[in-house]
Amino acid sequence: MNCVDFDKHFQTYLRQWTQQNMGKFKNVDEMEAEVPEVYLRWLNEPCDWLSGRTPGDYFEQFDDAKFLCKWLSDYVKKKVPVPDQLMERITALGEESVPELIAIAGRKEASNEVRMTAIGLLREMECEQPMEMYISWLGSGEFDELCENAAESLKNMGGKVIEPLLQAYETANAAARECIADILCDYPTEKRVLPLLLELMDSSSNTALIASYIAKFGDPDALPRMKQALEDPAINYLDYVEIANAVRALGGEVTSERTFDGDPYYESMKKLG
């Protein structure tokens, strides 16, 4: 398939427009403000490099989702920027594109870039069909950018993710557990979540992050553990600040302020005033 570099062609068009119109503007800011309008004109002008079609409607002539998704993969493989118009056409085909995108997302031999693109398009389509696949990734004992991207999609799928995520938590590694906890924090009525969060407070090295999750979850039953953490002599200043914020968010009070002489961040904050 011919993977035309739409971005390169627009940049050529923009350079030509800039040269022709440089004297019409008072400053660079005025000229840059016109760029979105220039882009719209470019989208709707017939081009010889597209056999007379416009960049905006070029992909509209294709209705085969499998063909278009293969084209998407070829773009990524050839390291040519994927045109927005191609991705828009794939999502516009709706359910026809879903099986192909799920296949790309789940293809282990494919590059992370094309798999990430497929996950993003499925999320844009508000597709819930890959839910089980995404959760299985989180529970696999491995964690990478694909899992993190998939987790963003799981956040939009509602309460149906709670039970399988709680199961996946048991086999997940530390990074995936934090990611799962972040999702589960959106369900404050689920009583099984707080014990997981408190467990992470003890086991995770990302204390400030877990404290922010506990604050988001909003269960005041966490207050005793959070106040105890404030007294930990080994705590650093940044963790202390986030835990103190969580205590206040849960309705508690921070009755004493600690000093952290020698802590680099604390010292830099003192210098700022």
Side-chain angles (χ1 to χ4, degrees):
M1 297 175 191
N2 187 17
C3 296
V4 178
D5 191 336
F6 278 54
D7 287 359
K8 184 177 180 180
H9 280 286
F10 174 65
Q11 291 304 318
T12 299
Y13 183 91
L14 183 61
R15 278 196 303 272
Q16 293 171 350
W17 174 85
T18 300
Q19 292 168 0
Q20 294 166 3
N21 294 275
M22 196 172 296
K24 298 179 181 179
F25 299 93
K26 295 178 181 178
N27 52 53
V28 173
D29 289 341
E30 275 194 8
M31 179 172 277
E32 289 181 348
E34 191 72 16
V35 171
E37 184 64 31
V38 174
Y39 181 70
L40 286 175
R41 287 201 296 272
W42 173 77
L43 282 177
N44 291 288
E45 288 185 11
C47 304
D48 54 3
W49 49 275
L50 290 176
S51 302
R53 297 191 72 100
T54 72
D57 76 356
Y58 179 71
F59 293 102
E60 297 297 317
Q61 63 186 304
F62 304 105
D63 296 317
D64 186 332
K66 185 173 183 178
F67 172 80
L68 290 168
C69 288
K70 174 64 168 61
W71 207 346
L72 169 72
S73 296
D74 284 353
Y75 262 99
V76 175
K77 189 179 298 183
K78 294 177 181 178
K79 302 187 183 304
V80 179
V82 182
D84 291 340
Q85 296 77 19
L86 171 56
M87 293 188 284
E88 288 166 5
R89 183 58 182 153
I90 289 172
T91 57
L93 290 174
E95 288 299 318
E96 294 178 39
S97 298
V98 167
E100 303 304 326
L101 291 172
I102 291 176
I104 292 172
R107 193 171 295 142
K108 293 184 177 181
E109 66 273 16
S111 70
N112 269 16
E113 183 179 354
V114 72
R115 295 176 73 187
M116 294 274 281
T117 301
I119 294 168
L121 292 177
L122 288 164
R123 180 163 60 248
E124 185 178 329
M125 297 165 69
E126 299 181 349
C127 178
E128 298 183 358
Q129 292 183 38
M131 182 185 79
E132 290 185 7
M133 179 174 71
Y134 294 164
I135 293 175
S136 72
W137 293 351
L138 288 171
S140 68
E142 300 177 4
F143 189 81
D144 58 14
E145 60 181 357
L146 287 171
C147 294
E148 196 166 5
N149 195 355
E152 287 300 312
S153 298
L154 291 170
K155 288 181 180 180
N156 301 323
M157 293 185 187
K160 63 179 72 67
V161 303
I162 296 174
E163 202 63 43
L165 279 177
L166 286 169
Q167 294 177 19
Y169 185 89
E170 298 301 320
T171 54
N173 67 15
R177 285 188 169 191
E178 291 174 4
C179 198
I180 291 170
D182 184 23
I183 301 169
L184 291 175
C185 280
D186 290 333
Y187 304 97
T189 60
E190 176 50 66
K191 295 301 182 184
R192 290 173 292 178
V193 175
L194 183 58
L196 299 185
L197 295 173
L198 296 179
E199 176 190 33
L200 284 174
M201 275 291 293
D202 294 327
S203 63
S204 173
S205 60
N206 296 320
T207 304
L209 179 68
I210 305 306
S212 72
Y213 291 170
I214 291 172
K216 182 172 73 166
F217 189 62
D219 190 336
D221 286 349
L223 278 171
R225 176 65 185 87
M226 302 304 282
K227 288 184 176 181
Q228 179 186 4
L230 285 179
E231 303 302 322
D232 184 351
I235 195 172
N236 63 53
Y237 179 64
L238 282 176
D239 287 349
Y240 176 84
V241 168
E242 198 61 54
I243 294 169
N245 288 339
V247 168
R248 296 185 185 100
L250 295 171
E253 293 184 5
V254 179
T255 55
S256 62
E257 293 291 335
R258 290 176 53 180
T259 58
F260 290 83
D261 295 333
D263 184 294
Y265 190 77
Y266 181 74
E267 297 293 347
S268 67
M269 293 301 291
K270 281 202 305 184
K271 290 178 182 178
L272 290 175

